[in-house]
Amino acid sequence: MGVKGSSSSSPPVVYLVLALAFNVAVLCNGGKTSSFVRKAEKTVDMPLDSDVFQVPPGYNAPQQVHITQGDHVGKAVIVSWVTVDEPGSNAVLYWSDNSKNKRRAEGHIKRYSYYTYKSGYIHHCTLRRLEYNTKYYYEVGLGNTTRQFSFMTPPAVGPDVPYTFGVIGDLGQTFDSNKTLTHYENNQLKGQAVLFIGDLSYADDYPNHDQVRWDTWARFVERSVAYQPWIWVAGNHELDYAPSIGEKIPFKPYTHRYHVPYKASGSTAPFWYSIKRASAHIIVLSSYSAYGKYTPQYNWLEEELPRVNRSETPWLIVLLHSPWYNSFNYHYMEGESMRVMFEPWFVQHKVDIVFAGHVHGYERSERISNIAYNIDNRNCTPVRDQSAPVYITIGDGGNIEGIASNLREPQPSYSAFREASFGHAILDIKNRTHAYYSWHRNDDGNPVEGDTVWFFNRYWHPVDDSTTK
């Protein structure tokens, strides 16, 4: 477009204006806000008689079967399930693919009451001394209706061991939730374990925190989590704190149903812990437990980060629920106090990636930090920092509360890509230096990648991997 009334002396002025505009864009605007527009429709729960919630046939048949890593290094698996008619056997029979010798492990049984609800018999059993990179079969429900499943153990921990993680958050049990899980299952990249970033059943969104919704959700996800471990993070919907109906113990249903190997990493509570898996050291933190100075979580993390051996596990990944960097108007700055406490440690120890949920959309940051600011200076804007992690918000599993579609404008400089859609991600670690990351929206076919980036390891290959300049 021409400038009306311009003269021969105007080009320098025009160039100056354009230069200033460009600099403002660089300083104030971020990366890409996706042009994809999701069809406006209400998020709806699947009916309780849906096949995904079906109770397995047979007397006292085990249901809600799920597994997670059972030790610090991947040589143990925690198997959990529920029986309804009677306690039944708490034992698990298991054997490797190349052996007929069946081993037996004994577990234990828990129950809990919540308002007017009484849980079934919740079983937890740890299978130990497993061989790496081996397929195992296991049976539960011994003596009544027996059900058989299988899983693969990870490769031995090592710096150049490839491994593929799925990443899912804020799932719930809607039709969109089912699309997310199906999309993940059909992904050609084939995740070997899931990093689950919190908010499981959304039982607390129903009247009196309807605990039946914990049962239906666990039956829904059994088709995946009975065969590959999901690494659990506690979100706000796991709190189930409801004094108005007499329920004053936070996390009661979650801690009874979902066990994690927190003691193996020296943690004092199941809400923060760490595991090693292949070439990754994964740290799980709790956004809804105390993290101020000298609290148990603070003390644990202060000791845990220096213990990470990047020559053994080069990829340092942190999972938490409430994002520290978020350019949606939903839950904006809710993670700020935790960021202030721990961000300097993340930069010091060169964390590669931080995954969060909570916001029901998708966003990926550049490597940025905001650790220079104090109460006296004006350095309060996040800056590019190649020692800092990339922050990924992936609370887009498909829950009943719907998609987060209200984004802050202009897009901040720290935000590389964002979109108001449901989906899942894949983190495909290749070796100690490179990992391929892709995000997949539910609305696309299986091969389509909505957002991709090659991550370069901060310890072994700290080359700039920015996708916006």
Side-chain angles (χ1 to χ4, degrees), residues 52 71 110 132 222 286 340 397 413 437 467:
V52 298
D71 66 354
K110 288 188 168 187
Y132 284 123
E222 182 189 85
S286 175
V340 170
S413 59
Y437 170 82
T467 56

Side-chain angles (χ1 to χ4, degrees), residues 281-295:
H281 190 116
I282 298 166
I283 292 176
V284 174
L285 296 179
S286 175
S287 300
Y288 305 100
S289 303
Y291 47 75
K293 201 165 187 178
Y294 307 131
T295 60

Side-chain angles (χ1 to χ4, degrees), residues 99-311:
S99 172
K100 301 293 185 181
N101 182 29
K102 294 187 177 182
R103 296 156 63 184
R104 182 185 179 100
E106 298 290 334
H108 61 276
I109 299 174
K110 288 188 168 187
R111 298 191 81 182
Y112 74 93
S113 298
Y114 191 99
Y115 192 46
T116 60
Y117 171 90
K118 182 75 172 179
S119 76
Y121 302 93
I122 305 169
H123 303 249
H124 301 285
C125 182
T126 303
L127 315 184
R128 306 182 190 277
R129 298 183 299 280
L130 303 175
E131 298 296 323
Y132 284 123
N133 206 29
T134 301
K135 184 174 184 178
Y136 282 88
Y137 299 92
Y138 68 100
E139 291 181 351
V140 292
L142 309 179
N144 288 309
T145 302
T146 302
R147 298 182 70 200
Q148 181 178 300
F149 303 89
S150 63
F151 60 84
M152 279 289 298
T153 53
V157 172
D160 289 305
V161 179
Y163 200 77
T164 306
F165 293 99
V167 190
I168 300 174
D170 299 66
L171 189 57
Q173 44 197 303
T174 69
F175 287 102
D176 288 297
S177 311
N178 194 36
K179 288 180 183 177
T180 298
L181 188 54
T182 302
H183 210 199
Y184 167 68
E185 292 169 319
N186 292 334
N187 195 310
Q188 295 169 338
L189 295 175
K190 295 302 176 191
Q192 297 164 273
V194 170
L195 307 177
F196 191 86
I197 318 298
D199 284 1
L200 287 68
S201 71
Y202 286 80
D204 63 342
D205 269 359
Y206 302 88
N208 299 316
H209 294 229
D210 184 0
Q211 295 297 290
V212 170
R213 283 293 180 174
W214 276 106
D215 297 317
T216 55
W217 188 83
R219 292 198 294 270
F220 159 51
V221 298
E222 182 189 85
R223 71 198 205 209
S224 173
V225 71
Y227 297 93
Q228 61 176 230
W230 288 24
I231 310 305
W232 303 109
V233 176
N236 56 300
H237 286 279
E238 279 65 76
L239 278 162
D240 275 303
Y241 178 69
S244 62
I245 57 174
E247 294 298 340
K248 301 179 181 180
I249 302 175
F251 300 109
K252 185 203 285 187
Y254 174 74
T255 53
H256 278 79
R257 293 171 180 269
Y258 293 91
H259 280 195
V260 296
Y262 68 96
K263 293 180 181 178
S265 57
S267 173
T268 56
F271 313 115
W272 57 90
Y273 63 99
S274 74
I275 61 168
K276 300 174 187 177
R277 197 165 185 89
S279 50
H281 190 116
I282 298 166
I283 292 176
V284 174
L285 296 179
S286 175
S287 300
Y288 305 100
S289 303
Y291 47 75
K293 201 165 187 178
Y294 307 131
T295 60
Q297 183 170 201
Y298 177 101
N299 290 341
W300 176 82
L301 184 60
E302 185 177 33
E303 295 176 358
E304 174 68 11
L305 284 167
R307 286 196 290 255
V308 179
N309 181 355
R310 303 298 280 271
S311 296

Side-chain angles (χ1 to χ4, degrees), residues 286-362:
S286 175
S287 300
Y288 305 100
S289 303
Y291 47 75
K293 201 165 187 178
Y294 307 131
T295 60
Q297 183 170 201
Y298 177 101
N299 290 341
W300 176 82
L301 184 60
E302 185 177 33
E303 295 176 358
E304 174 68 11
L305 284 167
R307 286 196 290 255
V308 179
N309 181 355
R310 303 298 280 271
S311 296
E312 178 188 55
T313 50
W315 291 94
L316 180 52
I317 301 165
V318 175
L319 314 180
L320 49 85
H321 188 65
S322 186
W324 293 0
Y325 289 96
N326 164 32
S327 69
F328 288 71
N329 279 314
Y330 300 87
H331 305 303
Y332 184 63
M333 292 188 74
E334 283 185 20
E336 182 67 5
S337 59
M338 194 181 205
R339 182 196 67 78
V340 170
M341 292 302 300
F342 294 149
E343 187 181 26
W345 292 356
F346 284 16
V347 174
Q348 176 189 348
H349 293 280
K350 300 183 186 301
V351 171
D352 291 293
I353 309 168
V354 176
F355 287 107
H358 201 38
V359 176
H360 300 160
Y362 172 74

